[in-house]
Amino acid sequence: MKLCGSVAALLLIAALLVFAVELTARGSLEQTLLFFQQPFRPGWTTIVLFALLIVFLDALLGRPYHALFLLAPVALGLAFVGQQKAFYLGDPLYPTDFLYARQIVELLPLLVRQRPGTAVAFAAAAVLAIVLLIVAWRFWRRRAPRLTFRARLSRLAVALPALVFFGSLMDYATFSWARDRLQISPVMWDQKENYNSNGFAIAFALNVPMAKVAAPKGYSEEAIKAIAGAAPAPLAAPAEKPDIIVVMSESFWDPTRLPATTVTPDPMPTVRALGSGHVLSPEFGGMTANVEFEALTGFSNAFLPYGSIPYQQYVRAPMPSLATFLKSEGYSTRAFHPFAGWFWNRSSVYHAFGFDRFLSEESLPPLEKRGPLAADTAFVDAIIREAEWTVRPFFYFAVTLQGHGPYEPNRYPDSRIAVDGPMSEAARGALRTFATGIADADESLARLIDWASKRQRPTIIAFFGDHLPPLGQVFVETGFMKGYVADRNAPLETLALEHETPLVLWSNRTGAVKDLGSISPAFLPLHLMRTAGFSHPYYTGFLGAVHDRFLAVDRNMLVARAGTETPNWARSEQLDPLIRDYRYLQYDLIFGKRFGDAAFFPKPPESGGPRPVGW
């Protein structure tokens, strides 16, 4: 009888904790109640899991229910962070997010500057919570009876095997009869539904194995040889190799797209005059490194686990990129970003991508600030100075910083931008700040093009935005979007509205390239190499064949050149042969045996010695 009472009390406590976690993560009492009312959702399984965790931790700590002082703060803290991430960026919290926790800490001053009152309240609440937790821990430690050695051993004997069993169910890549019976259904292609259906704790656990990418069905050396046998383009270079500068402008987007809103004067006249098309960004409001990964490699995030960050997880060794190829063609290859080199792991990644040098905040000369961040115009001037000193043909890849949010009102007191539209004063101030940053970025592009226009050497410039800005309040109040964040899985018309950023591809010999359409960032290398006059087995050969059929390869949508859309294509058993081969080849070159290396990527000359200056 006593045992039954203890088990009932344990399950009740676990149920209350799971309920609190779900309520925190979902931010809705109605949705939380619905989760527990649905028989085909694993709410009750999660309660059992939490009960086992309490039993296991109690056995280690030596006192009953002492585990709550560890489990509750951690679970509720993760749920709160997840709710905040979902609110601002539209994605739930993934285990891999902790790989870039340092980035978030570095950006805290910007967040505090935008919402100082909220920041103070959060800090005070955090301090109070920690103090109360310490007091409660010490109080319970002194008064709770110690568990006997036999009681601790029996708890471990029950909890440990059960937890190991639960852990085995988290490998979503293999079918599990037990997982199926427990109503745990991994929905890895739609993480919002994954967290909604399975609950925060189990969905979070299901994402732990994402660091390991399984080989796609049918991948083999023979499959790669068959792709290579389809006569890829030969390797050829133009008689005069042009200098190439690619600028990925932070959150660059056209604010005049907002309905019933006027922004005067036009903040982006240069981009509007020279526009080549749009980039259909795979991200929204953040995750710049994922867009960068596509633009530099020609690989696609669509073939990687949902929520993964290649820069943090997968780039651990030399990897083919535009820099690798152009370096083999005698180019000087340099990357630029006016922030810390460790941010997004860029120092290591750029080295793996074949860049000779990375000029970061640590190695760039001090740059004039515009607001709290390095000015785009000053950054472009630094790039121009570097180019003037470079004798060989060069490939420069630059990531700007000034346009980064949050967009606190009056960031630029000298702004000449006027905003009019159906929005509150707070939203108007944020939009004015953002639009002023766009005007500065546009001016920096005009500066770069003016310099290149006067050069004797052929010069190509590509300029594009990485994703839409996190202007949640502005988007909602103007009616641009229903929520604060963009849809990830929606009809093409909605995806284009919420994910397109401007693209300029320009040459000082032939002018702007026009009518590229709305393309995935992975196709930028193709258009760069075509404009430069290069032929390459992968960048113009294979990618060219894929692009002849598809404008965009998004995780949830294939966009054919004819304009037809194929939603949720990745869930189909029968993939388009070109998309299947694209997936095979990408897996082979990132995770596999690299059977396609010789056929698709010419090797740069062997080089030894120490790492170049600037790393």
Side-chain angles (χ1 to χ4, degrees):
M1 191 67 181
K2 184 178 180 181
L3 178 61
C4 291
S6 297
V7 171
L10 175 64
L11 290 174
L12 177 61
I13 291 171
L16 291 173
L17 179 56
V18 172
F19 186 87
V21 167
E22 289 299 324
L23 181 60
T24 303
R26 295 169 189 268
S28 165
L29 178 60
E30 180 183 358
Q31 291 297 318
T32 304
L33 292 172
L34 184 62
F35 174 67
F36 287 100
Q37 291 169 5
Q38 294 290 330
F40 300 112
R41 291 183 181 178
W44 306 106
T45 302
T46 311
I47 291 172
V48 174
L49 175 61
F50 271 52
L52 289 168
L53 284 170
I54 293 171
V55 171
F56 175 72
L57 292 173
D58 280 349
L60 297 181
L61 297 171
R63 283 172 172 76
Y65 303 114
H66 215 175
L68 289 171
F69 295 103
L70 294 179
L71 184 59
V74 170
L76 290 169
L78 290 175
F80 174 76
V81 173
Q83 191 273 335
Q84 291 293 299
K85 184 190 174 191
F87 181 79
Y88 286 105
L89 295 179
D91 264 350
L93 184 71
Y94 305 119
T96 50
D97 288 339
F98 293 100
L99 293 172
Y100 60 99
R102 185 179 173 188
Q103 280 92 312
I104 297 173
V105 172
E106 289 287 336
L107 292 174
L108 279 179
L110 287 176
L111 300 173
V112 171
R113 186 179 293 109
Q114 184 190 35
R115 301 170 66 185
T118 303
V120 170
F122 271 125
V127 170
L128 180 61
I130 291 171
V131 170
L132 291 176
L133 185 64
I134 293 172
V135 170
W137 171 282
R138 296 183 65 179
F139 177 85
W140 188 258
R141 193 80 180 167
R142 287 195 299 267
R143 287 164 176 77
R146 286 180 177 272
L147 294 173
T148 64
F149 178 76
R150 182 178 178 181
R152 296 174 73 174
L153 194 61
S154 63
R155 279 169 166 75
L156 284 175
V158 171
L160 188 57
L163 289 173
V164 171
F165 167 73
F166 266 107
S168 69
L169 302 181
M170 296 303 109
D171 184 6
Y172 60 83
T174 58
F175 175 76
S176 167
W177 181 89
R179 185 176 63 218
D180 194 51
R181 300 286 78 76
L182 291 171
Q183 306 298 334
I184 299 173
S185 301
V187 192
M188 310 313 288
W189 58 88
D190 185 347
Q191 288 289 350
K192 285 186 178 179
E193 180 57 30
N194 191 31
Y195 278 72
N196 182 57
S197 177
N198 293 305
F200 178 82
I202 288 181
F204 186 85
L206 284 167
N207 278 293
V208 170
M210 75 161 56
K212 179 183 177 182
V213 178
K217 185 179 179 181
Y219 165 73
S220 66
E221 183 176 4
E222 290 70 27
I224 300 300
K225 286 181 177 178
I227 303 171
L235 183 62
E240 187 177 14
K241 296 175 180 176
D243 295 330
I244 302 171
I245 301 175
V246 178
V247 178
M248 187 170 73
S249 186
E250 173 62 45
S251 297
F252 192 91
W253 177 72
D254 184 359
T256 66
R257 282 192 167 197
L258 292 168
T261 301
T262 58
V263 180
T264 52
D266 183 2
M268 42 180 279
T270 306
V271 171
R272 208 175 303 285
L274 301 177
S276 302
H278 292 88
V279 166
L280 188 67
S281 176
E283 301 295 344
F284 171 86
M287 306 299 283
T288 297
N290 284 354
V291 185
E292 190 176 325
F293 169 76
E294 290 200 14
L296 280 172
T297 63
F299 298 145
S300 176
N301 289 286
F303 305 132
L304 298 174
Y306 201 124
S308 60
I309 308 161
Y311 273 28
Q312 299 281 13
Q313 296 164 262
Y314 308 133
V315 184
R316 293 288 182 265
M319 185 179 294
S321 77
L322 277 178
T324 307
F325 165 57
L326 291 172
K327 183 177 180 178
S328 73
E329 290 289 332
Y331 274 68
S332 172
T333 56
R334 296 178 188 176
F336 300 76
H337 182 53
F339 199 60
W342 57 262
F343 200 75
W344 287 125
N345 202 29
R346 282 191 174 103
S347 287
S348 297
V349 169
Y350 287 155
H351 183 63
F353 280 177
F355 282 99
D356 294 325
R357 192 178 181 197
F358 174 29
L359 285 87
S360 63
E361 184 181 47
E362 296 87 350
S363 49
L364 282 166
L367 299 179
E368 176 190 351
K369 295 289 181 70
R370 184 84 164 108
L373 303 171
D376 281 352
T377 50
F379 182 49
V380 161
D381 286 346
I383 295 170
I384 291 173
R385 284 195 299 270
E386 192 73 18
E388 296 286 3
W389 299 336
T390 306
V391 177
R392 288 187 292 156
F394 60 77
F395 169 58
Y396 288 175
F397 181 80
V399 182
T400 71
L401 184 62
Q402 182 188 328
H404 206 292
Y407 306 102
E408 67 277 14
N410 301 316
R411 182 195 282 192
Y412 309 110
D414 61 346
S415 174
R416 297 179 180 178
I417 296 291
V419 172
D420 186 34
M423 67 193 86
S424 63
E425 282 305 312
R428 193 185 313 278
L431 179 57
R432 187 166 181 257
T433 289
F434 171 75
T436 304
I438 293 300
D440 289 350
D442 188 83
E443 180 188 340
S444 74
L445 174 61
R447 211 162 175 152
L448 190 61
I449 286 178
D450 180 64
W451 164 80
S453 299
K454 299 171 184 175
R455 303 188 77 212
Q456 294 298 315
R457 285 190 47 75
T459 306
I460 294 170
I461 294 172
F463 179 96
F464 66 100
D466 53 350
H467 51 68
L468 266 69
L471 281 170
Q473 185 179 1
V474 173
F475 292 147
V476 172
E477 291 187 16
T478 60
F480 180 77
M481 295 191 315
K482 293 180 180 179
Y484 274 34
V485 296
D487 290 291
R488 300 282 183 175
N489 194 353
L492 179 58
E493 183 180 2
T494 302
L495 283 181
L497 183 73
E498 300 177 357
H499 288 271
E500 277 187 350
T501 65
L503 167 64
V504 171
L505 182 55
W506 176 91
S507 165
N508 66 351
R509 296 290 174 87
T510 58
V513 178
K514 292 291 187 176
D515 302 321
L516 293 184
S518 184
I519 64 172
S520 288
F523 292 126
L524 284 172
L526 162 67
H527 291 294
L528 276 170
M529 293 299 94
R530 281 180 175 173
T531 306
F534 281 100
S535 174
H536 184 274
Y538 181 77
Y539 290 121
T540 62
F542 181 77
L543 271 188
V546 176
H547 194 44
D548 285 343
R549 189 175 302 177
F550 299 101
L551 285 174
V553 180
D554 181 75
R555 185 181 302 281
N556 297 304
M557 178 76 70
L558 281 179
V559 183
R561 186 165 288 278
T564 56
E565 53 192 87
T566 306
N568 300 319
W569 60 270
R571 297 166 62 180
S572 173
E573 290 291 329
Q574 298 296 324
L575 294 181
D576 181 283
L578 268 176
I579 298 300
R580 177 203 63 204
D581 291 348
Y582 194 2
R583 174 181 275 174
Y584 284 166
L585 198 52
Q586 177 170 314
Y587 177 85
D588 178 63
L589 293 158
I590 300 179
F591 309 104
K593 301 293 186 180
R594 301 188 76 151
F595 300 125
D597 237 358
F600 287 98
F601 291 94
K603 293 291 184 184
E606 293 294 329
S607 61
R611 197 178 271 196
V613 175
W615 288 97

